[in-house]
Every structure is written in structure tokens, then in C-alpha cells.
Coordinates of all heavy atoms in Angstrom, one line a residue:
M26 N -9.9 -7.4 -16.2 CA -9.1 -7.0 -15.0 C -7.7 -7.3 -15.3 O -7.3 -8.4 -15.9 CB -9.6 -7.9 -13.8 CG -8.7 -7.5 -12.6 SD -9.6 -7.9 -11.1 CE -11.0 -6.8 -11.1
N27 N -6.8 -6.5 -15.0 CA -5.3 -6.7 -15.2 C -4.7 -7.7 -14.2 O -5.2 -7.9 -13.1 CB -4.6 -5.3 -15.2 CG -4.5 -4.6 -13.9 OD1 -4.1 -5.2 -12.9 ND2 -4.8 -3.4 -14.0
V28 N -3.6 -8.1 -14.6 CA -2.8 -9.1 -13.7 C -2.5 -8.6 -12.4 O -2.6 -9.3 -11.3 CB -1.5 -9.6 -14.5 CG1 -0.8 -10.6 -13.6 CG2 -1.9 -10.4 -15.8
G29 N -2.1 -7.3 -12.3 CA -1.7 -6.7 -11.0 C -2.9 -6.6 -10.0 O -2.8 -7.0 -8.9
S30 N -4.1 -6.3 -10.6 CA -5.2 -6.3 -9.7 C -5.7 -7.9 -9.3 O -6.0 -8.0 -8.1 CB -6.6 -5.7 -10.5 OG -6.3 -4.4 -10.7
V31 N -5.5 -8.7 -10.1 CA -5.7 -10.1 -9.7 C -4.7 -10.6 -8.5 O -5.2 -11.1 -7.5 CB -5.6 -11.1 -10.9 CG1 -5.7 -12.4 -10.5 CG2 -6.7 -10.8 -11.9
R32 N -3.5 -10.2 -8.7 CA -2.5 -10.6 -7.7 C -2.9 -9.8 -6.4 O -2.7 -10.4 -5.3 CB -1.1 -10.2 -8.2 CG -0.7 -11.2 -9.1 CD 0.9 -11.0 -9.4 NE 1.1 -9.5 -9.6 CZ 2.0 -9.0 -10.3 NH1 3.0 -9.8 -11.0 NH2 2.1 -7.7 -10.4
L33 N -3.2 -8.6 -6.5 CA -3.5 -7.7 -5.3 C -4.7 -8.3 -4.6 O -4.7 -8.5 -3.4 CB -3.8 -6.3 -5.8 CG -4.1 -5.4 -4.5 CD1 -3.0 -5.5 -3.5 CD2 -4.1 -4.0 -5.0
R34 N -5.7 -8.7 -5.3 CA -7.0 -9.3 -4.6 C -6.5 -10.7 -4.0 O -7.0 -10.9 -2.8 CB -8.0 -9.6 -5.7 CG -8.8 -8.4 -6.0 CD -10.1 -8.6 -6.7 NE -10.3 -9.9 -7.2 CZ -10.4 -10.3 -8.4 NH1 -10.3 -9.2 -9.4 NH2 -10.7 -11.4 -8.9
E35 N -5.7 -11.5 -4.6 CA -5.1 -12.7 -4.0 C -4.4 -12.5 -2.7 O -4.6 -13.1 -1.7 CB -4.3 -13.5 -5.0 CG -5.1 -14.1 -6.1 CD -4.3 -14.7 -7.2 OE1 -3.0 -14.6 -7.2 OE2 -4.8 -15.2 -8.1
A36 N -3.5 -11.4 -2.7 CA -2.7 -11.0 -1.5 C -3.8 -10.5 -0.6 O -3.6 -10.9 0.7 CB -1.8 -10.0 -1.8
A37 N -4.7 -9.7 -0.8 CA -5.7 -9.2 0.3 C -6.5 -10.4 0.9 O -6.8 -10.3 2.1 CB -6.7 -8.3 -0.4
R38 N -6.7 -11.5 0.3 CA -7.4 -12.6 0.9 C -6.5 -13.2 2.0 O -7.0 -13.9 2.8 CB -7.8 -13.6 -0.2 CG -8.9 -13.2 -1.0 CD -9.4 -14.2 -1.9 NE -10.1 -13.7 -3.0 CZ -9.7 -13.6 -4.3 NH1 -8.6 -14.2 -4.6 NH2 -10.4 -13.1 -5.2
R39 N -5.2 -13.0 1.9 CA -4.3 -13.6 3.0 C -4.4 -12.8 4.3 O -3.8 -13.3 5.3 CB -2.9 -13.6 2.4 CG -2.7 -14.6 1.2 CD -1.2 -14.9 1.0 NE -0.4 -13.7 1.0 CZ 0.2 -13.1 -0.1 NH1 0.0 -13.7 -1.2 NH2 1.0 -12.0 -0.1
G40 N -4.9 -11.7 4.3 CA -5.0 -10.9 5.5 C -5.1 -9.4 5.4 O -4.8 -8.9 4.2
K41 N -5.5 -8.7 6.3 CA -5.7 -7.3 6.3 C -4.4 -6.6 6.1 O -4.3 -5.5 5.6 CB -6.5 -6.8 7.4 CG -7.9 -7.2 7.5 CD -8.7 -6.7 8.6 CE -10.1 -7.1 8.6 NZ -10.9 -6.6 9.7
V42 N -3.4 -7.0 6.9 CA -2.0 -6.4 6.8 C -1.0 -7.5 6.5 O -0.9 -8.4 7.1 CB -1.6 -5.7 8.2 CG1 -0.3 -5.1 8.2 CG2 -2.7 -4.8 8.7
L43 N -0.2 -7.1 5.5 CA 0.8 -8.0 5.0 C 2.2 -7.3 5.2 O 2.1 -6.1 5.4 CB 0.7 -8.3 3.4 CG -0.7 -8.9 3.1 CD1 -0.7 -9.2 1.5 CD2 -0.9 -10.3 3.8
D44 N 3.2 -8.0 5.2 CA 4.5 -7.5 5.7 C 4.4 -7.0 7.0 O 3.6 -7.4 7.7 CB 5.0 -6.5 4.6 CG 5.2 -7.2 3.2 OD1 5.5 -8.4 3.1 OD2 5.2 -6.3 2.2
K45 N 5.1 -5.9 7.2 CA 4.9 -5.2 8.5 C 3.8 -4.2 8.6 O 3.1 -4.0 9.5 CB 6.3 -4.3 8.8 CG 7.4 -5.2 9.2 CD 8.4 -4.3 9.8 CE 9.8 -4.5 9.1 NZ 10.7 -3.5 9.5
R46 N 3.6 -3.5 7.4 CA 2.7 -2.4 7.3 C 1.8 -2.3 6.1 O 1.0 -1.3 6.0 CB 3.7 -1.1 7.3 CG 4.5 -1.0 8.5 CD 3.9 -0.3 9.7 NE 4.6 -0.7 10.8 CZ 4.0 -0.9 12.0 NH1 2.8 -0.9 12.0 NH2 4.8 -1.2 12.9
L47 N 1.8 -3.2 5.2 CA 1.0 -3.2 4.0 C -0.5 -3.5 4.3 O -0.8 -4.7 4.5 CB 1.6 -4.0 2.9 CG 0.9 -4.0 1.5 CD1 1.0 -2.5 1.0 CD2 1.5 -5.0 0.5
W48 N -1.4 -2.5 4.3 CA -2.8 -2.7 4.6 C -3.6 -3.0 3.3 O -3.5 -2.2 2.3 CB -3.3 -1.4 5.3 CG -4.6 -1.6 5.9 CD1 -5.1 -2.5 6.7 CD2 -5.7 -0.6 5.6 NE1 -6.5 -2.3 6.9 CE2 -6.8 -1.0 6.2 CE3 -5.9 0.5 4.8 CZ2 -8.0 -0.3 6.2 CZ3 -7.1 1.2 4.7 CH2 -8.1 0.7 5.5
T49 N -4.3 -4.0 3.2 CA -5.0 -4.5 2.0 C -6.5 -4.4 2.0 O -7.2 -4.8 1.1 CB -4.5 -5.9 1.7 OG1 -5.1 -6.7 2.7 CG2 -3.0 -6.1 1.6
E50 N -7.0 -3.9 3.1 CA -8.5 -3.9 3.2 C -9.3 -3.2 2.1 O -10.3 -3.6 1.7 CB -8.9 -3.5 4.7 CG -10.2 -4.0 5.2 CD -10.4 -3.9 6.6 OE1 -9.6 -3.2 7.2 OE2 -11.3 -4.4 7.1
V51 N -8.6 -2.0 1.7 CA -9.3 -1.3 0.7 C -9.3 -2.0 -0.6 O -10.3 -2.1 -1.3 CB -8.8 0.2 0.5 CG1 -9.2 0.8 -0.8 CG2 -8.8 0.9 1.7
A52 N -8.2 -2.8 -0.9 CA -8.2 -3.7 -2.0 C -9.2 -4.7 -2.0 O -9.9 -5.0 -3.2 CB -6.8 -4.2 -2.2
E53 N -9.4 -5.3 -0.8 CA -10.5 -6.4 -0.9 C -11.8 -5.8 -1.0 O -12.7 -6.3 -1.8 CB -10.4 -7.1 0.6 CG -11.4 -8.1 0.8 CD -11.1 -9.4 0.1 OE1 -9.9 -9.5 -0.4 OE2 -12.0 -10.1 -0.1
A54 N -12.1 -4.6 -0.5 CA -13.4 -4.0 -0.6 C -13.7 -3.5 -1.9 O -14.8 -3.5 -2.5 CB -13.5 -2.9 0.4
S55 N -12.6 -3.0 -2.7 CA -12.9 -2.4 -3.9 C -12.6 -3.1 -5.2 O -12.7 -2.8 -6.4 CB -12.0 -1.1 -4.1 OG -10.5 -1.5 -4.2
G56 N -12.1 -4.4 -5.0 CA -11.8 -5.3 -6.1 C -10.5 -5.0 -6.7 O -10.2 -5.4 -7.8
A57 N -9.7 -4.2 -5.8 CA -8.3 -4.0 -6.2 C -8.1 -3.0 -7.4 O -7.1 -3.2 -8.1 CB -7.6 -5.3 -6.3
G58 N -9.0 -2.3 -7.6 CA -8.8 -1.3 -8.8 C -8.0 -0.1 -8.2 O -8.2 0.4 -7.1
G59 N -7.1 0.4 -9.1 CA -6.3 1.7 -8.9 C -5.4 1.4 -7.6 O -5.0 0.4 -7.3
N60 N -5.0 2.5 -7.0 CA -4.2 2.5 -5.8 C -4.9 2.1 -4.6 O -5.7 3.0 -4.0 CB -3.6 3.8 -5.6 CG -2.6 4.2 -6.8 OD1 -1.9 3.3 -7.3 ND2 -2.6 5.4 -7.3
S61 N -4.9 0.9 -4.2 CA -5.9 0.4 -3.2 C -5.2 -0.3 -2.0 O -5.8 -1.0 -1.3 CB -7.0 -0.4 -3.8 OG -6.4 -1.5 -4.5
T62 N -3.9 0.0 -1.9 CA -3.1 -0.5 -0.7 C -2.6 0.6 0.1 O -2.4 1.7 -0.6 CB -2.2 -1.6 -1.0 OG1 -1.2 -0.9 -1.9 CG2 -2.7 -2.8 -1.6
A63 N -2.1 0.4 1.2 CA -1.5 1.6 1.9 C -0.6 1.0 3.0 O -0.7 -0.1 3.5 CB -2.6 2.4 2.8
L64 N 0.6 1.7 3.2 CA 1.4 1.5 4.3 C 0.9 2.2 5.6 O 0.6 3.4 5.3 CB 2.8 1.9 4.1 CG 3.6 1.2 3.0 CD1 4.9 1.8 2.6 CD2 3.7 -0.3 3.3
V65 N 0.7 1.5 6.6 CA 0.1 2.1 7.8 C 1.0 2.1 9.0 O 1.8 1.3 9.0 CB -1.3 1.4 8.2 CG1 -2.4 1.6 7.1 CG2 -1.1 0.0 8.4
G66 N 0.8 3.1 9.9 CA 1.6 3.1 11.0 C 2.1 4.5 11.4 O 1.5 5.5 10.7
T67 N 2.9 4.8 12.2 CA 3.5 6.1 12.5 C 4.4 6.4 11.4 O 4.7 5.6 10.6 CB 4.3 6.0 13.8 OG1 5.5 5.3 13.6 CG2 3.6 5.6 15.0
P68 N 4.8 7.8 11.3 CA 5.6 8.1 10.3 C 7.0 7.3 10.3 O 7.4 6.8 9.2 CB 5.9 9.6 10.5 CG 4.6 10.1 11.2 CD 4.3 8.9 12.0
E69 N 7.5 7.0 11.4 CA 8.7 6.3 11.6 C 8.5 4.9 11.1 O 9.3 4.2 10.5 CB 9.2 6.3 13.0 CG 9.7 7.7 13.4 CD 8.5 8.6 13.9 OE1 7.3 8.2 14.1 OE2 8.8 9.7 14.1
Q70 N 7.4 4.2 11.4 CA 7.1 2.8 11.1 C 7.0 2.7 9.4 O 7.4 1.8 8.9 CB 5.8 2.3 11.7 CG 6.0 2.1 13.2 CD 4.7 1.9 13.9 OE1 3.6 2.5 13.5 NE2 4.7 1.1 15.0
V71 N 6.3 3.7 8.9 CA 6.1 3.7 7.4 C 7.4 3.9 6.8 O 7.7 3.2 5.8 CB 4.9 4.9 7.0 CG1 5.0 5.0 5.5 CG2 3.7 4.4 7.6
A72 N 8.2 4.8 7.3 CA 9.5 5.1 6.7 C 10.4 3.8 6.8 O 11.1 3.4 5.9 CB 10.2 6.3 7.4
D73 N 10.4 3.0 8.0 CA 11.0 1.8 8.0 C 10.6 0.7 7.1 O 11.4 0.1 6.5 CB 10.8 1.3 9.5 CG 11.6 0.1 9.8 OD1 12.8 0.1 9.5 OD2 11.1 -0.9 10.2
A74 N 9.3 0.7 6.7 CA 8.7 -0.3 5.8 C 9.2 0.0 4.4 O 9.6 -0.9 3.6 CB 7.1 -0.3 6.0
I75 N 9.2 1.4 4.1 CA 9.7 1.8 2.7 C 11.1 1.5 2.6 O 11.5 0.9 1.6 CB 9.5 3.3 2.6 CG1 7.9 3.7 2.4 CG2 10.2 3.9 1.3 CD1 7.7 5.1 2.4
L76 N 11.9 1.6 3.7 CA 13.4 1.2 3.5 C 13.5 -0.2 3.4 O 14.5 -0.8 2.7 CB 14.1 1.7 4.8 CG 14.4 3.1 4.9 CD1 14.8 3.4 6.3 CD2 15.3 3.7 3.7
D77 N 12.6 -1.1 4.0 CA 12.6 -2.5 3.8 C 12.4 -2.8 2.2 O 13.1 -3.8 1.7 CB 11.5 -3.3 4.5 CG 11.9 -3.3 6.1 OD1 13.2 -3.0 6.4 OD2 11.0 -3.6 6.9
Y78 N 11.5 -2.1 1.7 CA 11.2 -2.4 0.2 C 12.4 -2.0 -0.6 O 12.7 -2.6 -1.6 CB 10.0 -1.6 -0.3 CG 8.7 -2.3 0.3 CD1 7.8 -1.7 1.2 CD2 8.2 -3.5 -0.3 CE1 6.8 -2.3 1.6 CE2 7.1 -4.2 0.1 CZ 6.3 -3.6 1.1 OH 5.1 -4.1 1.5
Y79 N 13.0 -0.9 -0.3 CA 14.1 -0.3 -1.0 C 15.3 -1.4 -0.8 O 16.0 -1.7 -1.8 CB 14.7 1.0 -0.4 CG 15.8 1.5 -1.0 CD1 15.8 2.3 -2.3 CD2 17.1 1.5 -0.5 CE1 16.8 2.8 -3.0 CE2 18.3 1.8 -1.1 CZ 18.1 2.6 -2.4 OH 19.2 3.0 -3.0
D80 N 15.6 -1.9 0.3 CA 16.6 -2.9 0.6 C 16.2 -4.2 -0.2 O 17.2 -4.9 -0.6 CB 16.6 -3.3 1.9 CG 17.3 -2.2 2.8 OD1 17.9 -1.2 2.2 OD2 17.1 -2.2 4.1
A81 N 15.1 -4.5 -0.5 CA 14.6 -5.7 -1.3 C 14.7 -5.4 -2.8 O 14.4 -6.3 -3.6 CB 13.2 -6.0 -0.9
G82 N 15.1 -4.2 -3.2 CA 15.3 -3.9 -4.6 C 14.2 -2.9 -5.3 O 14.3 -2.6 -6.5
V83 N 13.3 -2.5 -4.5 CA 12.3 -1.6 -5.1 C 13.0 -0.2 -5.2 O 13.6 0.3 -4.2 CB 11.0 -1.4 -4.1 CG1 10.0 -0.4 -4.7 CG2 10.4 -2.8 -4.2
S84 N 13.0 0.4 -6.3 CA 13.6 1.8 -6.5 C 12.7 3.0 -6.8 O 13.0 4.1 -6.9 CB 14.7 1.7 -7.5 OG 14.1 1.3 -8.8
N85 N 11.5 2.6 -7.1 CA 10.4 3.7 -7.3 C 9.2 3.5 -6.5 O 8.7 2.4 -6.4 CB 10.0 3.6 -8.9 CG 11.1 4.0 -9.8 OD1 11.7 5.1 -9.8 ND2 11.5 2.9 -10.6
F86 N 8.8 4.6 -6.0 CA 7.7 4.7 -5.0 C 6.7 5.6 -5.3 O 7.1 6.7 -5.8 CB 8.1 4.8 -3.5 CG 9.1 3.7 -3.0 CD1 10.5 3.9 -3.2 CD2 8.5 2.7 -2.3 CE1 11.3 3.0 -2.8 CE2 9.5 1.8 -1.9 CZ 10.8 1.8 -2.1
L87 N 5.3 5.4 -5.2 CA 4.4 6.4 -5.4 C 3.7 6.5 -4.1 O 3.1 5.5 -3.6 CB 3.3 5.9 -6.5 CG 2.1 6.8 -6.6 CD1 2.5 8.2 -7.0 CD2 1.1 6.2 -7.6
V88 N 3.9 7.6 -3.5 CA 3.4 7.9 -2.1 C 2.4 9.0 -2.2 O 2.7 10.1 -2.5 CB 4.5 8.2 -1.2 CG1 4.0 8.5 0.3 CG2 5.6 7.1 -1.1
R89 N 1.2 8.7 -1.9 CA 0.1 9.7 -2.0 C -1.1 9.2 -1.1 O -1.2 8.0 -0.7 CB -0.4 9.9 -3.4 CG -1.1 8.7 -4.0 CD -1.6 9.0 -5.4 NE -2.7 8.0 -5.7 CZ -3.9 8.3 -6.1 NH1 -4.2 9.6 -6.3 NH2 -4.7 7.5 -6.2
G90 N -1.9 10.0 -0.9 CA -3.3 9.7 -0.1 C -4.3 9.4 -1.0 O -4.2 9.4 -2.3
F91 N -5.5 9.3 -0.5 CA -6.7 9.0 -1.2 C -7.2 10.1 -2.0 O -7.8 10.1 -3.0 CB -7.8 8.4 -0.4 CG -7.5 6.9 0.1 CD1 -7.1 6.6 1.3 CD2 -7.7 5.9 -0.8 CE1 -6.9 5.4 1.8 CE2 -7.3 4.6 -0.5 CZ -6.9 4.3 0.9
Y92 N -6.9 11.3 -1.4 CA -7.4 12.6 -2.0 C -6.1 13.4 -2.3 O -5.7 14.4 -1.5 CB -8.3 13.3 -1.1 CG -9.5 12.4 -0.6 CD1 -9.4 11.7 0.7 CD2 -10.6 12.1 -1.5 CE1 -10.4 10.8 1.0 CE2 -11.6 11.3 -1.1 CZ -11.4 10.6 0.1 OH -12.4 9.8 0.6
P93 N -5.5 13.2 -3.5 CA -4.2 13.9 -3.7 C -4.2 15.4 -3.5 O -3.2 16.0 -2.8 CB -3.9 13.5 -5.2 CG -4.6 12.3 -5.4 CD -5.9 12.5 -4.5
T94 N -5.1 16.1 -4.0 CA -5.1 17.6 -3.9 C -5.4 18.0 -2.4 O -4.5 18.7 -1.8 CB -6.3 18.2 -4.7 OG1 -6.1 17.9 -6.1 CG2 -6.2 19.7 -4.5
E95 N -6.3 17.4 -1.7 CA -6.6 17.8 -0.3 C -5.4 17.4 0.6 O -5.0 18.0 1.5 CB -7.9 17.1 0.2 CG -9.0 17.7 -0.4 CD -9.5 17.1 -1.7 OE1 -8.7 16.2 -2.3 OE2 -10.5 17.3 -2.3
D96 N -4.7 16.2 0.3 CA -3.6 15.7 1.1 C -2.4 16.5 1.0 O -1.6 16.5 1.9 CB -3.3 14.3 0.7 CG -4.3 13.3 1.1 OD1 -5.3 13.7 1.9 OD2 -4.4 12.2 0.6
T97 N -2.3 17.3 -0.2 CA -1.1 18.2 -0.3 C -1.2 19.6 0.3 O -0.3 20.4 0.4 CB -0.6 18.3 -1.8 OG1 -1.7 18.8 -2.5 CG2 -0.3 16.9 -2.3
V98 N -2.4 20.1 0.4 CA -2.7 21.4 1.0 C -2.4 21.4 2.4 O -2.9 20.6 3.2 CB -4.2 21.9 0.6 CG1 -4.5 23.1 1.3 CG2 -4.4 21.8 -0.8
T99 N -1.7 22.4 2.8 CA -1.4 22.5 4.4 C -2.2 23.7 5.0 O -2.7 24.5 4.4 CB 0.1 22.8 4.6 OG1 0.5 23.9 3.8 CG2 0.9 21.6 4.2

């Protein structure tokens, strides 16, 4: 298991939602493999959370759903 997955599992044990919007329940259930966290809330709430991460120094984001192809079809 990689270091990122170990850290994510440890974070998931602290609660289902971390920060304002970071949902960790999938990470806990799946053993933190792959993309297993999500920002949850209204579009405005999620955008606000992303801006908080940007303000903290994060400059790259991967924003996608669980089903990338289906999530992009309108």
C-alpha cells in the first residue's frame, strides 16, 4: 500500500467529513484505493471549498465523478 493511501485511511478514521466538505466514507470502506474522497455540498459550497484549497497553496485539482464517461455525457 502506498503512503498516500495510508494517510488517507488515517484521515478517514477521524470522521466522515473533514475540513468543510471533504467526504472520506468511500476511502474508509474501500481501503483508500484510488480516488476515494469527494467534496460534497451544493455547487457553490464545493466551489468555496476548492477556493480554500487554492488559497492554501494547492494549484492542481482532479475533479471527476465515480463514473467518468457517464458523468461527462449530457
Side-chain angles (χ1 to χ4, degrees):
M26 178 158 299
N27 68 48
V28 174
S30 292
V31 171
R32 285 189 313 212
L33 183 53
R34 283 196 346 246
E35 289 170 358
R38 286 189 202 109
R39 292 194 313 249
K41 292 180 181 180
V42 179
L43 304 179
D44 298 336
K45 287 191 227 176
R46 304 272 161 222
L47 184 62
W48 188 54
T49 64
E50 206 161 11
V51 173
E53 181 70 19
S55 70
N60 296 319
S61 54
T62 58
L64 294 174
V65 296
T67 67
E69 293 81 12
Q70 290 169 327
V71 170
D73 184 53
I75 290 171
L76 287 173
D77 287 345
Y78 285 108
Y79 180 81
D80 290 342
V83 176
S84 59
N85 293 297
F86 298 88
L87 172 61
V88 179
R89 67 177 202 127
F91 288 106
Y92 306 101
T94 302
E95 293 86 352
D96 291 342
T97 59
V98 175
T99 54

